Amino acid sequence: DGFYQNRVAPDCRSRMNIPFFLRDESLNEQFLAGAKQRGLLQLKGHKSVGGMRASLYNAMPVDGVRALVGYLNEFAGR
């Protein structure tokens, strides 16, 4: 399918926590390092599940979401 995957059934997805996986999980560390350089922190998923997780709790500004989406598109484009 796509560069990123969400393995959670659509009817069970949270609006606050967005888990996702890179199709090629060997890129995880490179993804996280690039995210950190851009100030996008705490994206590493739970240790028992793996992957990535973006949390959009009450303090997350819309600009932060836009920055993450921009980085996701940039990283996938490489």
Side-chain angles (χ1 to χ4, degrees):
D1 298 358
F3 190 85
Y4 302 102
Q5 300 176 322
N6 186 328
R7 299 176 186 167
V8 178
D11 62 334
C12 295
R13 292 180 183 171
S14 167
R15 299 179 102 197
M16 301 310 293
N17 288 302
I18 303 164
F20 61 96
F21 293 83
L22 279 69
R23 176 171 289 289
D24 180 353
E25 293 189 42
S26 71
L27 297 174
N28 284 356
E29 294 306 316
Q30 182 181 346
F31 175 86
L32 290 169
K36 184 177 181 179
Q37 288 177 342
R38 289 160 180 79
L40 302 168
L41 308 174
Q42 306 298 321
L43 290 172
K44 188 172 183 177
H46 190 276
K47 63 183 174 183
S48 68
V49 178
M52 307 296 159
R53 182 183 73 177
S55 292
L56 304 177
Y57 285 99
N58 52 2
M60 174 56 70
V62 172
D63 285 343
V65 175
R66 287 185 182 125
L68 175 59
V69 170
Y71 177 61
L72 289 167
N73 289 327
E74 175 192 330
F75 192 84
R78 285 191 232 151

